[in-house]
Amino acid sequence: MIESRRKFLRALPAISAGVALAPAPAIGATGKGKQRWAMVVDVRKCIGCQACTVSCIMENAVPDNSFRTIVSTYEVQDGKQCGTYMLPRLCNHCEQPPCVPVCPVGATFQREDGVVVVDGERCVGCAYCVQACPYDARFINHDTGKADKCTFCAHRVDVGLLPACVETCVGGARVFGDLNDPHSEVRRLLDANEVKVLKPEMNTEPHVFYLGLDARFEGRVEGEASLWQPSHHGE
Ligand code: SF4
Ligand code: SF4
């Protein structure tokens, strides 16, 4: 692995400081189209190997020092107990995405299946959408000068394949599918479990849902940095 990529992976924990989580509202059939793609991440199964991060970089030609998905590693201290905690993160493909209306040229938009994408032909690289995303899920690609982010690997999904991060997840922590399909695994997981989303107070209606979050992590908000000691296990 080249040195710049090592530095990138070392930097991952710092990127994710200050994430608030809370139960997601009941999710019925969503999206404007026949399908509504979504992901469920079971953090109990994530071993922090970064296989997803690396496969995403390879699949999507993500430039150095940028990411479309990351796994942050934290050491959480609770009295005398100390534990390591993994949090995979990516674009939430929000139902109400604040990154979309701020785009002055209509380059970023939501497809009927819920996937939020960027039209590189129209994007002028102003970074308004980068500023508008509450999840730091976007960046300006320094190779192209355009906005960049996770697309749920739409180019793969459109031909019946899974997103690269899902296919390569060693622990089987990432489940992807159609929320509007009553037989899909994501639909079954949401119906059978209490899932959580990142920053629900932003009313963005994220469509990346989390299972198995440690109780010590829930409800933590920005500024409680003393609770979160980023470790450097990602290199
Ligand atoms: Fe937009 Fe950010 Fe939501 Fe993704 S996570 S849809 S980039 S607001
Ligand atoms: Fe739109 Fe591109 Fe500006 Fe983002 S960077 S707001 S996609 S023109």
Side-chain angles (χ1 to χ4, degrees):
M1 187 176 290
I2 60 176
E3 182 58 21
S4 58
R5 214 38 111 183
R6 284 184 186 279
K7 284 180 187 161
F8 159 64
L9 290 171
R10 274 198 295 270
L12 293 182
I15 291 166
S16 322
V19 176
L21 301 117
I27 306 295
T30 58
K32 303 170 194 74
K34 188 165 157 259
Q35 291 157 320
R36 204 323 173 180
W37 299 118
M39 189 179 292
V40 176
V41 180
D42 189 339
V43 298
R44 298 166 298 192
K45 295 181 177 175
C46 176
I47 59 171
C49 66
Q50 305 286 359
C52 52
T53 306
V54 173
S55 67
C56 174
I57 289 166
M58 302 296 286
E59 178 71 27
N60 297 295
V62 180
D64 281 358
N65 302 314
S66 300
F67 61 93
R68 288 184 174 196
T69 187
I70 60 172
V71 180
S72 303
T73 307
Y74 294 97
E75 284 179 2
V76 180
Q77 289 179 316
D78 186 4
K80 290 185 179 174
Q81 292 189 317
C82 183
T84 302
Y85 197 89
M86 313 298 170
L87 183 67
R89 292 178 63 191
L90 63 157
C91 169
N92 291 287
H93 297 280
C94 308
E95 192 66 16
Q96 307 295 338
C99 56
V100 169
V102 298
C103 179
V105 294
T108 188
F109 60 95
Q110 187 177 41
R111 306 192 331 176
E112 288 206 335
D113 57 11
V115 177
V116 176
V117 291
V118 179
D119 178 350
E121 294 293 314
R122 281 186 276 168
C123 176
V124 295
C126 66
Y128 287 177
C129 58
V130 176
Q131 296 298 320
C133 173
Y135 304 99
D136 291 333
R138 286 176 173 253
F139 58 96
I140 297 296
N141 183 316
H142 56 68
D143 287 344
T144 64
K146 313 287 184 181
D148 202 330
K149 61 180 276 298
C150 159
T151 63
F152 270 166
C153 279
H155 60 290
R156 293 172 57 90
V157 172
D158 289 348
V159 295
L161 300 173
L162 288 170
C165 62
V166 175
E167 195 156 276
T168 55
C169 179
V170 173
R174 294 179 183 233
V175 178
F176 178 82
D178 179 12
L179 262 188
N180 291 346
D181 175 358
H183 304 296
S184 70
E185 182 68 359
V186 288
R187 181 76 265 173
R188 190 192 67 74
L189 287 168
L190 258 66
D191 289 345
N193 299 278
E194 182 187 322
V195 292
K196 294 184 172 64
V197 294
L198 301 181
K199 296 187 176 180
E201 73 279 6
M202 302 302 293
N203 297 316
T204 56
E205 299 179 34
H207 274 59
V208 173
F209 303 94
Y210 290 89
L211 270 175
L213 286 165
D214 189 301
R216 287 168 295 182
F217 195 82
E218 295 171 23
R220 301 304 182 201
V221 294
E222 255 167 302
E224 290 186 300
S226 59
L227 285 164
W228 305 104
Q229 303 297 329
S231 69
H232 298 282
H233 299 162
E235 58 187 283

